[in-house]
Amino acid sequence: MNILNLFNLTFDKKLLKYDLTSSYGLFSNDLSFFHFEIYFILSIITFLIFFVILSNKKNYRSNYYLNVGGIFVNLLPFVIILLIFILNNNTSDSYYLFAGFYYSDAAIVFFKNIILLGFLIFIFAIKQYISHFKHYDFEFILILFISLFSSILLLNSNDLISLFFIVELQSLTFYILVASKQTSSFSTESGLKYFILGCFSSGIILFGISLIYGFTGLLSYTDLTLFLSEVQITGFTLNSSSMSFSGFLVGFLLLTVGFLFKLGSVPFHMWMPDVYEGSPLFVTAYLSTIPKIALMFVIFKLYYCIFFEVFLFAQGLFTLTALFSIILGSVAAIYQIKLKRMLTYSMITNTGYLLFGLSLGDISGIYVTLFYLISYIFIMVGLFFCFLSLRDRSSGLLVKRINMFSNLFEVNPFLSFSIFILLFSIAGVPPLLGFYSKFFLFLFSLKYKMYWLTILFVIFSVISVFYYIRLVKLMYFNRSTGWVFLSDVPFLNSLVISVITIVNVFFFFNPNLLFKLIYNFSFYFYI
């Protein structure tokens, strides 16, 4: 061995020694930026230990074990508020942690704030929900809290492997939440269906990731972006038509199919009607709103930041699934007599509109999709709060069939008016908030000369108005012989419903604030 090789070997050993000794300092610095997630994890562990011990204590006046679900619900809002303060205390703009697996910036913090505030609103509804169903204890709320943690952690993922594990953690909590109503065989059946089909979609995502890694050797978002920046695409002709790139495209399409399955778009929607119908109404409300924010953020980041160079191959798939989702959801919802099943097909229709905006493939697509997503989540939260307030006074059961909306105007005129406004808003009736979201979507589709698609979307948008108007007809014009007397609407529920209704009605007076915010924010994904 010559002196030069010996010098290189010694130099390499010094570098290796330096890396090993500095790794602890590296990760200790990482943990200093990871304080929000550390507090979240410690809160979960503390709640688990404390409430397991407390739930095994018997009441000194009776022989029954303590029901600590109500205590958990009362403590959780303070924890969420403290989390929001800790999240916004970090002044760093953007940073990578844990060898690039974790990434955070101002846009991710903004989305985290939206998710935390949305979850805080849902805590107001669950307080009444827990009081009526005694079989729900702290485990249900703890699983809900863990699902919130997985949704927030999903935003910071910067690697395909970490993305897959976080999606699986989120899906596992969803399986438990759907099957959480132990006294209902429908809830257990829905949880089993969701578990089997969810594992199938997870297998598709994992197979796509394995193909991407097998043909490129890359998993990091940063590395994949650099790899794809070298690929020039003109139409469907590739200058770099190697076998490795063809295998990468197969993995990319499989990854796209897996995420379309998670979204529930046609033809990957077969799990949604049965699962959402059998799950408790609060779980249906939660699954269709808060987790969709995190999932759409990940889809934006993947297809507009990481895989934008090959977005052309997924664009046609997005357009076809959007078209089929709008057609099937608009037509199938007409024949539904159960409330949750009708709402599920309405969700499939709105997923189609989201995917159509996503398929535009530029800054306009991000803008209209973000605006549609925010308005859709906002309206659906108000609708679900209204439906969670429709509880029979005698039996304590929630309204399940749409024919039970008869005489609602006579029983509770203010609640029926809020439902009327929100139904017309999600149907796209001007000048409500939902009208602007559909109007901009159709306007930008005309800009890109998609005339036939725009005509079809307008026709099926008019068709979908039918099942919304049917509920309004039942509330205001139908008269039934048997009256259903409802329980009083809780104060927090009525406050949330009132605010959402007022915003929908008076949004057209000053819409520029939301327009400018979303337009400026959409550049984050496109630049």
Side-chain angles (χ1 to χ4, degrees):
M1 180 181 294
N2 55 28
I3 298 177
L4 183 60
N5 291 335
L6 182 62
F7 174 78
N8 291 334
L9 182 61
T10 308
F11 181 73
D12 291 341
K13 285 184 177 180
K14 288 182 179 180
L15 283 178
L16 181 60
K17 182 179 179 181
Y18 173 77
D19 291 337
L20 290 175
T21 55
S22 63
S23 61
Y24 175 76
L26 170 67
F27 284 99
S28 65
N29 292 332
D30 287 353
L31 292 177
S32 65
F33 289 96
F34 204 63
H35 55 281
F36 169 76
E37 286 78 8
I38 290 175
Y39 173 74
F40 213 133
I41 295 171
L42 290 177
S43 300
I44 294 172
I45 296 172
T46 305
F47 280 138
L48 179 62
I49 296 173
F50 175 73
F51 285 110
V52 164
I53 296 173
L54 190 61
S55 61
N56 290 324
K57 299 285 185 181
K58 289 187 177 181
N59 194 340
Y60 67 93
R61 293 182 179 178
S62 62
N63 200 29
Y64 294 102
Y65 287 99
L66 293 175
N67 189 352
V68 298
I71 304 174
F72 200 171
V73 173
N74 292 326
L75 286 176
L76 202 53
F78 298 101
V79 178
I80 298 298
I81 294 171
L82 185 57
L83 279 170
I84 293 174
F85 278 113
I86 294 175
L87 176 63
N88 294 281
N89 191 32
N90 192 358
T91 58
S92 299
D93 293 330
S94 60
Y95 49 89
Y96 292 88
L97 300 180
F98 307 117
F101 282 92
Y102 179 100
Y103 175 74
S104 181
D105 57 14
I108 293 176
V109 172
F110 176 75
F111 265 83
K112 284 183 178 180
N113 281 308
I114 293 177
I115 292 175
L116 287 172
L117 289 173
F119 189 81
L120 184 62
I121 294 173
F122 267 94
I123 294 301
F124 298 153
I126 198 177
K127 193 171 183 180
Q128 181 203 20
Y129 199 80
I130 293 293
S131 64
H132 282 276
F133 294 94
K134 301 299 182 183
H135 56 275
Y136 286 123
D137 209 343
F138 78 96
E139 293 93 346
F140 173 77
I141 314 166
L142 185 64
I143 294 297
L144 200 66
F145 197 47
I146 296 174
S147 71
L148 173 67
F149 176 68
S150 61
S151 298
I152 286 178
L153 204 60
L154 195 61
L155 305 178
N156 297 110
S157 174
N158 196 52
D159 189 274
L160 291 178
I161 290 297
S162 62
L163 173 69
F164 174 75
F165 282 121
I166 298 170
V167 168
E168 283 305 292
L169 173 63
Q170 187 186 52
S171 300
L172 183 61
T173 59
F174 292 166
Y175 304 149
I176 301 171
L177 290 174
V178 169
S180 60
K181 196 172 182 179
Q182 303 169 11
T183 58
S184 173
S185 59
F186 294 105
S187 179
T188 306
E189 180 186 357
S190 299
L192 184 60
K193 286 181 180 178
Y194 195 14
F195 173 73
I196 294 173
L197 295 175
C199 291
F200 178 72
S201 65
S202 299
I204 294 176
I205 293 175
L206 186 60
F207 187 39
I209 292 174
S210 64
L211 286 177
I212 291 173
Y213 178 73
F215 285 97
T216 64
L218 304 173
L219 288 172
S220 173
Y221 290 170
T222 307
D223 297 337
L224 287 170
T225 305
L226 293 174
F227 169 75
L228 292 174
S229 63
E230 302 297 327
V231 178
Q232 301 295 327
I233 302 178
T234 306
F236 286 94
T237 304
L238 291 172
N239 295 339
S240 177
S241 58
S242 61
M243 180 63 69
S244 61
F245 193 77
S246 301
F248 166 81
L249 287 179
V250 175
F252 168 69
L253 291 176
L254 286 174
L255 187 67
T256 305
V257 170
F259 277 109
L260 290 176
F261 201 104
K262 297 290 183 184
L263 277 176
S265 63
V266 177
F268 314 106
H269 71 290
M270 66 288 294
W271 59 273
M272 282 190 69
D274 293 333
V275 169
Y276 280 11
E277 182 189 359
S279 62
L281 182 59
F282 176 83
V283 176
T284 304
Y286 175 74
L287 294 182
S288 58
T289 51
I290 303 300
K292 280 189 179 295
I293 300 174
L295 187 58
M296 287 303 298
F297 179 89
V298 171
I299 291 175
F300 274 131
K301 190 171 182 179
L302 285 177
Y303 294 96
Y304 277 88
C305 297
I306 313 303
F307 297 125
F308 186 73
E309 298 293 340
V310 291
F311 180 77
L312 185 66
F313 293 93
Q315 189 173 19
L317 184 59
F318 284 146
T319 306
L320 284 176
T321 54
L323 179 61
F324 292 150
S325 299
I326 293 172
I327 293 174
L328 180 72
S330 301
V331 175
I334 298 175
Y335 301 97
Q336 306 305 318
I337 60 175
K338 294 183 178 180
L339 179 62
K340 283 191 287 187
R341 205 168 182 88
M342 188 201 76
L343 289 174
T344 301
Y345 282 106
S346 174
M347 295 173 205
I348 293 173
T349 304
N350 286 284
T351 302
Y353 287 120
L354 287 171
L355 290 174
F356 177 65
L358 190 68
S359 66
L360 296 180
D362 66 350
I363 189 68
S364 303
I366 302 173
Y367 172 67
V368 296
T369 308
L370 272 176
F371 186 80
Y372 197 97
L373 176 66
I374 292 175
S375 59
Y376 162 74
I377 296 294
F378 189 71
I379 298 168
M380 290 302 294
V381 167
L383 271 177
F384 276 114
F385 265 74
C386 291
F387 297 147
L388 285 167
S389 302
L390 296 173
R391 188 179 300 279
D392 190 354
R393 187 187 295 271
S394 59
S395 63
L397 299 177
L398 294 170
V399 172
K400 293 184 178 180
R401 296 180 179 270
I402 62 174
N403 58 5
M404 298 177 70
F405 281 79
S406 300
N407 297 329
L408 183 59
F409 177 72
E410 304 288 341
V411 177
N412 195 330
F414 295 103
L415 185 61
S416 59
F417 177 75
S418 297
I419 296 175
F420 159 73
I421 291 296
L422 295 173
L423 287 175
F424 270 40
S425 180
I426 199 170
V429 177
L432 302 175
L433 174 61
F435 164 75
Y436 289 93
S437 60
K438 288 190 177 180
F439 175 74
F440 282 121
L441 188 63
F442 297 152
L443 193 65
F444 280 104
S445 63
L446 290 174
K447 175 186 174 182
Y448 289 95
K449 299 180 180 180
M450 301 179 180
Y451 302 118
W452 289 107
L453 282 176
T454 307
I455 293 172
L456 284 175
F457 290 160
V458 170
I459 291 173
F460 284 100
S461 180
V462 173
I463 292 174
S464 65
V465 175
F466 171 78
Y467 50 86
Y468 297 126
I469 292 181
R470 182 172 58 178
L471 286 179
V472 176
K473 174 182 175 294
L474 289 170
M475 289 189 299
Y476 282 89
F477 302 106
N478 273 36
R479 296 292 180 268
S480 61
T481 56
W483 283 66
V484 177
F485 293 96
L486 303 175
S487 301
D488 295 333
V489 181
F491 171 74
L492 293 175
N493 287 29
S494 61
L495 180 63
V496 173
I497 293 170
S498 302
V499 170
I500 293 177
T501 305
I502 291 171
V503 171
N504 272 274
V505 172
F506 296 103
F507 175 77
F508 71 96
F509 281 113
N510 188 17
N512 291 327
L513 179 63
L514 184 59
F515 290 165
K516 291 179 181 178
L517 176 64
I518 296 176
Y519 186 76
N520 294 329
F521 190 73
S522 58
F523 281 99
Y524 166 79
F525 296 99
Y526 193 68
I527 297 176

